[in-house]
């Protein structure tokens, strides 16, 4: 038997969460059974926990949680043995497949990544999809020529999960980071993570008529999308790149192509969900090397399975700071 946060549809067709004791036979098919130690909360988890399932969950009962880290309990795949420490992000786990809000998970071996020795299962979930995606974004910007001497790097949605980890990684690598936030009270937190400059969200919240403004940013990790991304494109330096990660501010892109044509600006799409295994291993190795663990600790908000329904609603309101780490055994 194991405990999980089970989402079930009620008579009105709304999904509701309850802590349930389940038998191992309830687990979905898969080659590897993992004793989950920690999970986390991402924006997408907020959608999956919502009464409608956010358009992502189609089958109930369901166990959400798009990320987990733990130890292999049993494996039918030669790559994994009992006791191995593993991490999982993406692959639509927690959406189409049962996820990490549970003491046990059963998944395909191909979906797992062995956890580097330097990262605990708790730290791995402080990173989670949000931090893993931040690392992919940093890697993409650097693969396109970003170096610390090129100038300031902008991070939007900075006090959120993706943004917080992006600020910490970039600062550790020697970049001068400008952090955009709509929450002035997070300034101390963002400066402790390594932000050199705080930019109020209102400064970039609206588009302007001019398609090009002063060349300001050598790179950008954008968790917000919408008008803010459109505005930032017109402020990028010549041949600089923006890594488009999120849509916390909207999915529309009310931009012109002028920054691409006259400044050679690059818009780099970042997807973490279907990312190939080799890139995943590279990103987790880079996280072990480039993410200061003391800064990561400062981002953690501890939580239990019981806390998740309320936290899911909060993250959809932009009210969660840093990274929620869920101890599924607490
Ligand atoms: P969070 O809610 O933790 O962070 C989002 C942040 O964006 C908020 O904290 C807030 O930052 C800012 N924000 C929220 N609403 C608005 C708004 N209306 N206008 C401007 N800024 C806003 O979420 P995550 O960090 O987990 O995820 C961020 C985004 O990245 C989401 O859209 C998510 O879906 C996406 N994502 C994409 C992935 C991929 O594979 N491409 C993987 C992971 C996440 P502040 O308070 O500092 O202003």
């Amino acid at each position: 038997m194991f405990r999980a946060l089970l989402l079930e549809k009620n008579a009105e067709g709304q999904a509701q969460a309850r802590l349930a004791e389940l038998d191992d036979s309830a687990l979905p098919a898969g080659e590897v059974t993992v004793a989950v130690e920690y999970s986390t909360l991402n924006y997408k988890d907020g959608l999956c926990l919502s009464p409608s399932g956010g358009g992502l969950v189609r089958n109930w009962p369901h166990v959400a949680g798009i990320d987990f880290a733990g130890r292999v309990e049993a494996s039918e795949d030669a790559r994994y043995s009992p006791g191995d420490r593993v991490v999982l992000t993406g692959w639509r786990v927690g959406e189409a497949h049962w996820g990490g809000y549970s003491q046990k998970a059963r998944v395909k071996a191909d979906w797992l990544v062995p956890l580097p020795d330097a990262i605990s299962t708790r730290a791995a979930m402080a990173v989670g999809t949000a931090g893993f995606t931040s690392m992919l974004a940093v890697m993409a910007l650097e693969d396109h020529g970003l170096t610390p001497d090129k100038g300031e790097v902008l991070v939007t949605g900075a006090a959120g999960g993706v943004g917080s980890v992006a600020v910490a990684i970039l600062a550790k690598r020697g970049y001068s980071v400008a952090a955009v936030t709509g929450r002035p009270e997070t300034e101390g937190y963002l400066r402790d993570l390594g932000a050199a400059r705080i930019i109020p969200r209102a400064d970039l919240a609206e588009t302007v008529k001019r398609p090009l403004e002063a060349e300001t940013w050598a790179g950008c990790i954008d968790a917000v999308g919408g008008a803010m991304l459109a505005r930032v494109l017109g402020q990028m330096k010549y041949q600089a790149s923006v890594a488009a990660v999120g849509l916390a501010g909207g999915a529309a892109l009310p931009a012109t192509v002028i920054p691409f044509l006259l400044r050679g600006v690059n818009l780099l799409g970042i997807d973490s969900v279907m990312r190939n295994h080799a890139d995943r291993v590279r990103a987790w190795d880079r996280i072990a090397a480039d993410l200061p663990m003391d800064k990561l600790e400062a981002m953690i908000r501890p939580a239990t399975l019981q806390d998740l329904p309320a936290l899911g609603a909060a993250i959809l309101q932009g009210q969660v700071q840093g990274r929620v780490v869920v101890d599924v055994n607490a």
Side-chain angles (χ1 to χ4, degrees):
M1 299 293 282
F2 65 96
R3 195 159 36 120
L5 187 75
L6 196 67
L7 300 171
E8 295 168 306
K9 279 273 174 93
N10 63 17
E12 287 80 46
Q14 304 284 296
Q16 279 184 327
R18 74 172 170 94
L19 276 181
E21 290 286 333
L22 301 174
D23 189 82
D24 281 19
S25 62
L27 287 168
E31 297 109 22
V32 186
T33 305
V34 178
V36 178
E37 293 175 359
Y38 294 96
S39 185
T40 180
L41 179 80
N42 299 277
Y43 190 85
K44 209 181 226 183
D45 292 309
L47 293 173
C48 292
L49 288 167
S50 67
S52 67
L56 300 173
V57 181
R58 307 245 181 240
N59 297 305
W60 285 267
H62 180 67
V63 175
I66 68 169
D67 303 331
F68 63 77
R71 289 177 190 271
V72 171
E73 187 179 278
S75 174
E76 294 165 11
D77 186 285
R79 287 169 289 177
Y80 292 102
S81 306
D84 288 352
R85 296 174 337 113
V86 290
V87 60
L88 184 144
T89 66
W91 299 115
R92 303 207 62 220
V93 170
E95 306 170 45
H97 189 91
W98 279 19
Y101 294 163
S102 171
Q103 292 173 319
K104 279 194 196 182
R106 187 172 288 151
V107 294
K108 288 190 178 173
D110 285 346
W111 294 346
L112 294 167
V113 174
L115 203 50
D117 289 344
I119 307 180
S120 68
T121 50
R122 181 169 175 272
M125 286 299 97
V127 175
T129 284
F132 171 69
T133 308
S134 304
M135 191 73 243
L136 292 176
V138 172
M139 285 161 51
L141 292 178
E142 292 183 343
D143 287 348
H144 282 79
L146 181 65
T147 47
D149 57 302
K150 298 262 170 74
E152 273 184 300
V153 179
L154 190 71
V155 175
T156 69
V162 169
S164 295
V165 182
V167 170
I169 294 173
L170 288 166
K172 166 89 185 304
R173 289 188 62 71
Y175 291 96
S176 176
V177 181
V180 184
T181 184
R183 290 181 278 179
E185 67 276 16
T186 63
E187 172 161 356
Y189 165 78
L190 290 168
R191 287 200 185 275
D192 285 348
L193 293 182
R197 183 145 79 106
I198 307 296
I199 311 230
R201 184 192 294 176
D203 286 7
L204 292 171
E206 283 167 22
T207 52
V208 286
K209 281 226 171 83
R210 283 170 299 150
L212 295 175
E213 297 181 77
E215 290 186 43
T216 309
W217 315 115
C220 171
I221 295 181
D222 174 53
V224 170
M228 189 174 292
L229 173 55
R231 181 81 185 270
V232 166
L233 285 170
Q235 299 182 350
M236 299 306 294
K237 291 191 174 195
Y238 192 77
Q239 285 192 334
S241 303
V242 179
V245 172
L247 42 58
L253 184 56
T256 78
V257 296
I258 302 298
F260 309 128
L261 310 187
L262 297 191
R263 287 199 181 147
V265 168
N266 304 303
L267 183 56
L268 311 175
I270 306 295
D271 170 59
S272 65
V273 177
M274 307 307 286
R275 191 53 76 107
N276 67 56
H277 191 260
D279 281 359
R280 288 172 187 267
V281 171
R282 184 172 158 231
W284 280 103
D285 283 346
R286 285 280 307 265
I287 287 165
D290 290 343
L291 180 59
M293 289 299 151
D294 56 328
K295 305 282 188 211
L296 188 67
E297 192 60 38
M299 293 177 212
I300 292 177
R301 170 177 177 172
T304 64
L305 290 176
Q306 291 95 312
D307 299 329
L308 281 164
L311 286 169
I315 200 166
L316 295 182
Q317 303 293 318
Q319 296 301 322
V320 170
Q321 176 181 310
R323 301 284 301 132
V324 172
V325 173
V326 182
D327 181 348
V328 301
N329 296 303

